[in-house]
Amino acid sequence: MKKQAFLSQIKSYLTSDFSASPYYSIDYWYPLQRIEKDIPVVAFDLDKIYDDGNIDQIEETLCRLSIDIATVIQDQDDKPEPREVSLRKLLYEADRDGYNFPWYVESYYYDSSKQWMIYTSHEFTITFAGEVLVRIAKEMIDSKYQYYAM
């Protein structure tokens, strides 16, 4: 899939009404499952990871794959625009309301390789997609935080 087609597909999910969708009940990872059914995904309880002081498990997952700079699309208005961010820096930054990692809004992080995607939601979850990223996340992040794996 070419970059523009990929971005177009992601943007269509950001502006779609999923209330009638069978995926609505599992909304912490539905966009990733809808892109292609055989993409491995694993979702974790981001709130508990922060509460337990184990955010370093996510950082180590990113470091093992040399993931830092990523493009993000956030579902916060009618025209979400992609921008570059440092994921590792975001892990330790609080917003002005004191919330860690941007879970106030649905956020999709990816890079030019299109081999992985990270999705954070306002339901306090983080989902990893892509074969290698999912494998490393399952190794590095305690299974007690895991919601779902496919």
Side-chain angles (χ1 to χ4, degrees):
M1 181 181 293
K2 295 196 183 285
K3 181 178 179 181
Q4 283 309 114
F6 178 77
L7 291 175
S8 176
Q9 198 166 10
I10 293 298
K11 285 183 179 183
S12 74
Y13 296 126
L14 292 175
T15 58
S16 297
D17 176 14
F18 286 99
S19 60
S21 168
Y23 305 107
Y24 186 69
S25 64
I26 47 176
D27 54 4
Y28 59 87
W29 66 274
Y30 69 81
L32 304 178
Q33 197 273 345
R34 295 225 1 162
I35 290 173
E36 189 174 313
K37 290 187 183 284
D38 63 332
I39 295 175
V41 297
V42 62
F44 296 95
D45 185 329
L46 189 56
D47 195 33
K48 286 184 183 173
I49 291 171
Y50 272 109
D51 284 349
D52 291 352
N54 286 326
I55 200 63
D56 60 315
Q57 293 178 8
I58 294 176
E59 181 183 22
E60 185 59 31
T61 299
L62 300 176
C63 286
R64 292 257 319 259
L65 295 172
S66 300
I67 294 173
D68 184 22
I69 302 302
T71 301
V72 61
I73 297 177
Q74 293 180 315
D75 184 15
Q76 57 191 5
D77 58 29
D78 291 337
K79 297 178 184 175
E81 292 297 324
R83 61 185 171 86
E84 283 196 351
V85 295
S86 166
L87 286 172
R88 288 189 233 160
K89 187 176 176 184
L90 282 177
L91 289 174
Y92 296 99
E93 282 185 0
D95 66 16
R96 63 181 171 209
D97 295 323
Y99 291 104
N100 294 313
F101 210 64
W103 56 31
Y104 60 90
V105 64
E106 311 315 281
S107 301
Y108 304 81
Y109 302 88
Y110 60 92
D111 74 351
S112 61
S113 75
K114 294 181 265 178
Q115 298 298 307
W116 58 267
M117 181 179 277
I118 299 170
Y119 168 62
T120 58
S121 77
H122 71 276
E123 286 89 7
F124 309 109
T125 63
I126 186 167
T127 303
F128 299 96
E131 187 175 332
V132 177
L133 180 56
V134 167
R135 181 176 46 82
I136 299 299
K138 286 179 178 180
E139 289 174 14
M140 302 307 303
I141 302 171
D142 193 313
S143 63
K144 71 181 179 180
Y145 302 120
Q146 189 172 309
Y147 272 130
Y148 182 87
M150 181 173 98

